[in-house]
């Protein structure tokens, strides 16, 4: 099993390009089920989760080819199966995103019920309840969600109890082909939701209000398909910026969208970073200084993203002062703090809050990644540790970071993949 070996001590310097957003590309791939015509998707990151989603579309009869510009051409015109099998869903929870579009276009969808995962229980009740409000019949049988609809789904007024990104996306896709208008209230405002809405519109749907908490979807009978380019990955962007800040470095990230990172950039400035932004780039300079600890609390967008919490916790571990980090979205997402403590961090947990007392330096150690963002935090810790750190189970990292060791090397990090 691959591992990453990191020798700490280098301040990150230089520039890198940011890839397309995983969390936008996944729902957009699922949205290709909405049309019988071929679609083309640009800026798809080369990641394990993307391969899994492509495999899922393929096993249902979708035809996916990579063209000469490395864009994906997807044709879901003639599917032979309506089932997302357990073998694929168990490796990637985002598989649940095929439920809405499949049901909307074919009147039937079977998706293996996704279980919990390392970061928490992660229910899908709100996805299912919304589909029922649109007239679907939903049953759980043999570990599968079996959804059917008698003719087209019907537009509905849906109030989401909790802000859910995947739930909003699934229902938005289902509503795109429904009969009538659907209003989703308390919708997720994440930029990836807006990107999906823009994609549905580019392919012939009619979604209004994405980016606000009320989304209106006027169902259309058919979507003609077309082209869409995925937005830049704001979490990948943030991860490299935090890594640079933790090491006292100075980096430029290109091909990104600073407007999607406000909460993160504010916290980096609070940590002592000088930040300059252009239209599609961000420059961060710590002027060689040690970061100052920052306190934060995760919240739905535009609040501080839960997907950036672990990386800031790692930065706080070597910062000056004490940072209080509170996780409000996923119950087990502070789990990586135990691995950080094995590297000499001083982190104590009380409920959903981690009290992080910065130390001058961490010490390299063999550590184990438990989930995607936790593994990014261990890489950051390795960069600021004395000696060698060996990060095991990096298949988690490969789910969400394109060529992490090459990009880190480009910034001067001493990191390599070993088999
Ligand atoms: C998405 C992101 C994930 C990010 C999360 C932040 C993708 C592929 N993943 O995950 O990286 O960390 O948003 O919000 O885009 N909930 C319910 N019932 C539901 C659905 C969710 O109670 O039916 C709860 C969850 O337990 C959690 C909260 O809502 O506490 C947010 O979850 P949600 O936004 O749905 O996360 P995902 O869409 O799975």
């Amino acid at each position: 099993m691959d591992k990453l070996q990191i020798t700490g001590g280098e301040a990150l310097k230089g520039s890198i390009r940011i890839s397309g957003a995983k969390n936008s590309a996944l729902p957009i791939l699922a949205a290709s089920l909405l049309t019988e015509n071929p679609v083309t998707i640009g800026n798809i990151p080369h990641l394990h989760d993307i391969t899994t989603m492509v495999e899922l579309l393929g096993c249902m009869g979708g035809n996916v080819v990579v063209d000469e510009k490395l864009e994906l051409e997807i044709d879901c015109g003639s599917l032979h199966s309506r089932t997302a099998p357990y073998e694929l869903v168990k490796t990637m929870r985002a598989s649940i995103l095929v439920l809405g579009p499949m049901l909307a276009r074919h009147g039937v969808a079977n998706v293996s019920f996704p279980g919990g995962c390392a970061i928490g229980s992660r229910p899908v009740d709100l996805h299912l309840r919304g589909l029922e409000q649109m007239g679907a019949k939903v049953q759980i049988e043999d570990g599968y969600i079996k959804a059917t609809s008698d003719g087209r789904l019907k537009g509905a007024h849906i109030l989401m109890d909790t802000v859910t990104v995947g739930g909003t996306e699934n229902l938005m896709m289902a509503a795109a082909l429904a009969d009538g208008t659907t209003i989703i209230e308390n919708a997720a405002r994440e930029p990836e939701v807006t990107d999906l809405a823009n994609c549905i519109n580019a392919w012939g749907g009619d979604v209004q209000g994405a980016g606000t908490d009320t989304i209106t979807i006027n169902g259309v009978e058919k979507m003609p398909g077309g082209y869409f380019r995925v937005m830049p990955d704001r979490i990948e962007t943030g991860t490299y910026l935090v890594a640079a800040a933790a090491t006292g470095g100075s980096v430029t990230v290109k091909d990104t969208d600073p407007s999607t990172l406000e909460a993160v950039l504010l916290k980096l400035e609070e940590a002592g970073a000088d930040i300059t932004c252009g239209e599609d780039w961000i420059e961060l300079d710590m002027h060689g200084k040690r970061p100052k600890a920052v306190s934060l609390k995760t919240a739905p967008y535009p609040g501080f993203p839960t997907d950036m919490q672990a990386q800031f916790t790692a930065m706080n571990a070597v910062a000056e002062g004490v940072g209080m980090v509170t996780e409000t979205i996923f119950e087990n997402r502070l789990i990586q703090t135990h691995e950080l403590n094995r590297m000499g961090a001083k982190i104590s947990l009380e409920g959903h809050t981690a009290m992080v007392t910065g130390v001058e330096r961490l010490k390299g150690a063999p550590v184990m990644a438990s989930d995607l963002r936790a593994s990014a935090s261990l890489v950051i810790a390795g960069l600021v540790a004395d000696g060698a750190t060996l990060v095991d189970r990096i298949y988690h990292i490969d789910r969400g970071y394109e060529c992490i060791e090459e990009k880190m090397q480009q910034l001067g990090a001493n990191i390599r993949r070993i088999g």
Side-chain angles (χ1 to χ4, degrees):
M1 209 184 283
D2 283 3
K3 297 181 173 69
L4 282 178
Q5 188 177 49
I6 306 156
T7 307
E10 301 296 332
L12 297 189
K13 283 200 169 62
S15 70
I16 48 158
R17 289 185 186 286
I18 294 304
S19 305
K22 167 179 92 74
N23 286 352
S24 175
L26 290 172
I28 285 171
L29 285 169
S32 65
L33 289 164
L34 287 169
T35 160
E36 61 198 30
N37 298 320
V39 295
T40 307
I41 309 170
N43 207 27
I44 294 261
H46 187 72
L47 296 171
H48 203 257
D49 272 8
I50 299 293
T51 314
T52 307
M53 187 60 96
V54 166
E55 218 177 302
L56 179 55
L57 295 175
C59 86
M60 297 189 295
N63 188 25
V64 185
V65 285
V66 184
D67 71 12
E68 66 286 353
K69 287 190 277 178
L70 295 179
E71 298 185 326
L72 288 189
E73 283 174 21
I74 305 179
D75 184 351
C76 291
S78 51
L79 298 185
H80 52 66
S81 158
R82 314 277 184 260
T83 300
Y86 174 70
E87 291 67 41
L88 289 172
V89 178
K90 75 171 186 208
T91 65
M92 185 184 67
R93 294 182 39 88
S95 311
I96 186 74
L97 291 167
V98 302
L99 179 65
M102 176 72 111
L103 176 66
R105 198 171 121 231
H106 295 285
V108 52
N110 305 313
V111 178
S112 174
F113 201 101
C117 70
I119 64 174
S121 62
R122 304 187 79 173
V124 292
D125 55 317
L126 300 174
H127 303 227
L128 305 186
R129 199 186 304 163
L131 292 175
E132 281 174 340
Q133 278 183 266
M134 297 171 74
K137 234 179 103 203
V138 180
Q139 281 175 314
I140 312 291
E141 227 177 79
D142 311 323
Y144 275 76
I145 299 164
K146 299 189 172 178
T148 51
S149 103
D150 202 2
R152 282 170 79 188
L153 291 168
K154 309 268 176 300
H157 193 140
I158 300 168
L159 171 65
M160 309 294 276
D161 272 2
T162 310
V163 176
T164 150
V165 176
T168 304
E169 291 169 341
N170 232 337
L171 297 178
M172 198 161 81
M173 290 188 277
L177 293 179
D179 185 10
T181 297
T182 299
I183 297 173
I184 305 177
E185 280 193 75
N186 200 24
R189 297 160 64 186
E190 267 69 1
E192 293 77 11
V193 172
T194 308
D195 213 37
L196 175 63
N198 291 339
C199 170
I200 293 174
N201 290 343
W203 292 351
D206 182 1
V207 181
Q208 312 294 327
T212 74
D213 60 8
T214 306
I215 301 180
T216 304
I217 306 112
N218 298 307
V220 297
E221 224 166 300
K222 274 186 189 308
M223 284 169 49
Y227 175 80
F228 193 73
R229 186 177 164 82
V230 172
M231 66 178 276
D233 197 311
R234 65 192 168 102
I235 306 302
E236 188 197 19
T237 305
T239 301
Y240 285 103
L241 292 176
V242 174
T247 61
S250 77
V251 301
T252 305
V253 287
K254 298 176 180 166
D255 292 347
T256 187
D257 181 355
S259 71
T260 59
L261 279 135
E262 265 181 57
V264 169
L265 297 182
L266 272 175
K267 285 292 161 194
L268 285 168
E269 279 177 339
E270 211 179 301
D274 257 349
I275 303 224
T276 320
C277 297
E279 179 104 352
D280 64 352
W281 54 267
I282 303 169
E283 201 179 274
L284 173 143
D285 196 344
M286 289 297 286
H287 303 290
K289 288 182 314 227
R290 182 179 173 197
K292 292 198 262 296
V294 292
S295 292
L296 58 92
K297 188 171 176 177
T298 62
Y301 193 83
F304 187 91
T306 173
D307 282 353
M308 284 302 305
Q309 175 267 108
Q311 300 87 319
F312 270 81
T313 303
M315 182 191 76
N316 276 344
V318 290
E320 206 181 305
V322 179
M324 304 296 282
V325 174
T326 305
E327 172 60 54
T328 72
I329 312 282
F330 295 116
E331 63 266 29
N332 293 339
R333 226 180 187 178
L334 290 167
I335 202 153
Q336 88 285 356
T337 55
H338 301 298
E339 292 299 288
L340 293 176
N341 282 347
R342 294 188 51 249
M343 297 175 69
K346 274 199 191 156
I347 306 175
S348 55
L349 290 185
E350 176 127 6
H352 296 310
T353 298
M355 184 169 94
V356 191
T357 307
V359 297
E360 286 267 345
R361 297 207 57 83
L362 296 175
K363 278 207 169 54
V367 286
M368 194 110 80
S370 56
D371 74 68
L372 171 56
R373 306 306 169 185
S375 47
S377 79
L378 296 176
V379 170
I380 294 173
L383 293 173
V384 290
D386 287 330
T389 296
L390 198 59
V391 185
D392 199 352
R393 298 204 180 157
I394 58 162
Y395 52 84
H396 289 297
I397 286 211
D398 295 331
R399 287 187 36 223
Y401 289 92
E402 189 172 58
C403 310
I404 189 164
E405 68 273 30
E406 276 125 58
K407 290 189 184 185
M408 285 288 185
Q409 280 162 5
Q410 220 172 310
L411 297 174
N414 195 334
I415 180 170
R416 67 191 178 106
R417 186 177 290 254
I418 52 180

